[in-house]
Structures are given as C-alpha cells and as structure tokens.
Amino acid sequence: MTHQLRTYLFVLTAAISLFAFCQDVNAQGRDKKDMAEVDSTELFRGISLSYDLAGTVMRLVSDYGQFEGALRVNLKDRYFPIIELGLGDAKHTEDVVTHIESTVRAPYGRIGCDLNMAKDKHDKYRIMLGARYALTSFKTKAHGDITDPYWGGRVPYSYESKCTYHWAEFLFSVDAQIWGPVRMGWSFRYKAKLSSSDDGIGDLWYIPGYGKNGNRLGGTFNITFELGRKNKKI
C-alpha cells in the first residue's frame, strides 16, 4: 500500500469517526421523549447558494485571496452535503529576501458534508461540524533579478512550473437566518496536506483554495441564499 493511499484511508477513517462521534453525542443529549419519537422530517429540505466574502476582501487588501461560491443540499435539516468551487489568485511582489515576483491564478474545488449539531435542528441557528476533500491544479510563475552567488551583481531569473495539490479540511461553523431566505455565518478550518505533484518547484508560496503554504488554519465568512421548505414535519 502506497503512502498516498494510506494517507487517504487515514483521512477517510478520521472523517467517518468524527461524524459517528457527533451522532453519538447528539443522540445521548436527547431526552427519553425525543428518543421515543420517530423523525418524520422529509428527506429533501432544499438547496442553498453561498459566497465567501472573506476571501474577496482578503484579495482586495493583500497580495492573495480567492473568489469562492458553494452549493449545499439540505437533508432533514441535519445533513448538508456541499460542493465549494473557487478561483485562487495571488501576486507576490514584495519578497524582501529574493526580490522575486511570483503569480498564481487557478481554480480549485472541495467536496464534503456538514452535520448540524444544534439540539433543535429546525432552529434558525445552526452549529456545524464538517469535513472536506479539496483539489487544485495550477501553474506558478516567477521572475525577477537575483544576486549571482559566484560573480556577484544582479542577473535576470524566471521560471514556470505546474503543480497538483490535494488536501483535507475539518471545520466548525455557525450560521443564522438573517431575513427570509438570507443567512450569514462563518467557518473556522483546519487543513491537512494529503499529497502534491510538481516538477521541481520546491516550496510553494501560495496554493489556490488552500492559502499560504504552511498555514494550516483558515476561515470563511459566507452570505447564503437558501431555497427550501418551511421548517415543519410531514
């Protein structure tokens, strides 16, 4: 079994264990009356579209960021399968050590599921635990003048390289109904690299959808438009 396959199996097992644990905690928190009742909530409760405002603001005020939207399905107001798609963009021009300018611009995607941990799953407030598998494939370009270590002086330097990057995310999020179908909320994320393939680029400065290389923590602030059924049981 290869190292990459073992890593995938480890992440999958961890995600399944996380959801199983959350389900067990949620079940233990119910009283006897609730456990005696059969959940007759319809399976499909609607879909929602969301946009991450934090990534856009980050790109406007710094040299990297992303433009990201998501499609989420509501199952029983408890389970929320989700697909997140975005475009990562970076232009690093102020490296004080190398003075090299590097640029990256590429799409990325994530797929996963969130679990609503709120005691009243039909409430307008939701507390979520979730997991994601993410992937991006991109080119990174760099150019500038560097100091020749042997002859001295400045010489021109440039390269272009391709890379494919896989990672997992585990998240905690909160959102609430603001008005009608409009919801707002945030997520806190922990990221773990699964694998990458490149052609000798070495350490990456920015990875689309992941963020700055080596930074395992991240977050989003989403505004969501929800198309769903009213919170009632059939």
Side-chain angles (χ1 to χ4, degrees), residues 88-175:
D89 183 67
K91 186 175 182 180
H92 186 48
T93 60
E94 299 180 359
D95 193 305
V96 297
V97 177
T98 65
H99 303 287
I100 293 175
E101 177 180 306
S102 60
T103 58
V104 179
R105 186 178 178 88
Y108 62 89
R110 307 188 196 97
I111 186 170
C113 187
D114 296 332
L115 176 66
N116 183 8
M117 299 298 298
K119 183 176 182 180
D120 180 4
K121 66 181 182 179
H122 304 300
D123 194 78
K124 64 180 181 179
Y125 299 99
R126 294 174 184 153
I127 302 173
M128 305 275 215
L129 291 179
R132 304 281 190 274
Y133 164 73
L135 167 69
T136 185
S137 181
F138 60 96
K139 290 182 180 180
T140 184
K141 301 178 182 179
H143 64 87
D145 294 333
I146 62 174
T147 301
D148 190 309
Y150 184 78
W151 298 104
R154 306 290 291 178
V155 295
Y157 170 81
S158 68
Y159 72 76
E160 179 176 320
S161 185
K162 297 180 181 179
C163 180
T164 300
Y165 201 91
H166 306 255
W167 74 97
E169 296 185 4
F170 303 94
L171 64 93
F172 171 80
S173 65
V174 175
D175 76 353

Side-chain angles (χ1 to χ4, degrees), residues 32-226:
K32 293 182 179 180
K33 181 179 178 179
D34 290 335
M35 294 185 67
E37 293 180 351
V38 176
D39 185 2
S40 58
T41 306
E42 55 201 346
L43 176 64
F44 179 71
R45 303 285 288 170
I47 63 173
S48 63
L49 299 172
S50 63
Y51 185 79
D52 172 29
L53 298 176
T56 300
V57 172
M58 182 178 295
R59 184 62 188 96
L60 293 175
V61 301
S62 70
D63 50 5
Y64 72 97
Q66 59 272 342
F67 308 96
E68 179 183 308
L71 171 65
R72 185 168 68 181
V73 178
N74 182 345
L75 303 179
K76 286 184 171 290
D77 284 339
R78 182 69 73 188
Y79 309 98
F80 295 84
I82 188 170
I83 296 176
E84 299 169 335
L85 299 174
L87 178 69
D89 183 67
K91 186 175 182 180
H92 186 48
T93 60
E94 299 180 359
D95 193 305
V96 297
V97 177
T98 65
H99 303 287
I100 293 175
E101 177 180 306
S102 60
T103 58
V104 179
R105 186 178 178 88
Y108 62 89
R110 307 188 196 97
I111 186 170
C113 187
D114 296 332
L115 176 66
N116 183 8
M117 299 298 298
K119 183 176 182 180
D120 180 4
K121 66 181 182 179
H122 304 300
D123 194 78
K124 64 180 181 179
Y125 299 99
R126 294 174 184 153
I127 302 173
M128 305 275 215
L129 291 179
R132 304 281 190 274
Y133 164 73
L135 167 69
T136 185
S137 181
F138 60 96
K139 290 182 180 180
T140 184
K141 301 178 182 179
H143 64 87
D145 294 333
I146 62 174
T147 301
D148 190 309
Y150 184 78
W151 298 104
R154 306 290 291 178
V155 295
Y157 170 81
S158 68
Y159 72 76
E160 179 176 320
S161 185
K162 297 180 181 179
C163 180
T164 300
Y165 201 91
H166 306 255
W167 74 97
E169 296 185 4
F170 303 94
L171 64 93
F172 171 80
S173 65
V174 175
D175 76 353
Q177 182 183 14
I178 303 302
W179 173 82
V182 180
R183 305 181 67 90
M184 296 185 74
W186 55 267
S187 72
F188 174 79
R189 304 183 180 219
Y190 175 82
K191 305 170 226 179
K193 175 184 175 181
L194 299 178
S195 67
S196 65
S197 61
D198 59 67
D199 55 5
I201 187 174
D203 291 334
L204 300 167
W205 181 78
Y206 171 80
I207 302 155
Y210 183 99
K212 291 185 71 173
N213 191 22
N215 187 0
R216 292 179 174 268
L217 302 180
T220 62
F221 184 82
N222 298 305
I223 181 168
T224 301
F225 186 80
E226 191 168 56

Side-chain angles (χ1 to χ4, degrees), residues 7-21 131 170:
T7 304
Y8 285 139
L9 291 176
F10 171 76
V11 172
L12 180 60
T13 303
I16 294 174
S17 300
L18 172 64
F19 283 114
F21 172 75
F170 303 94

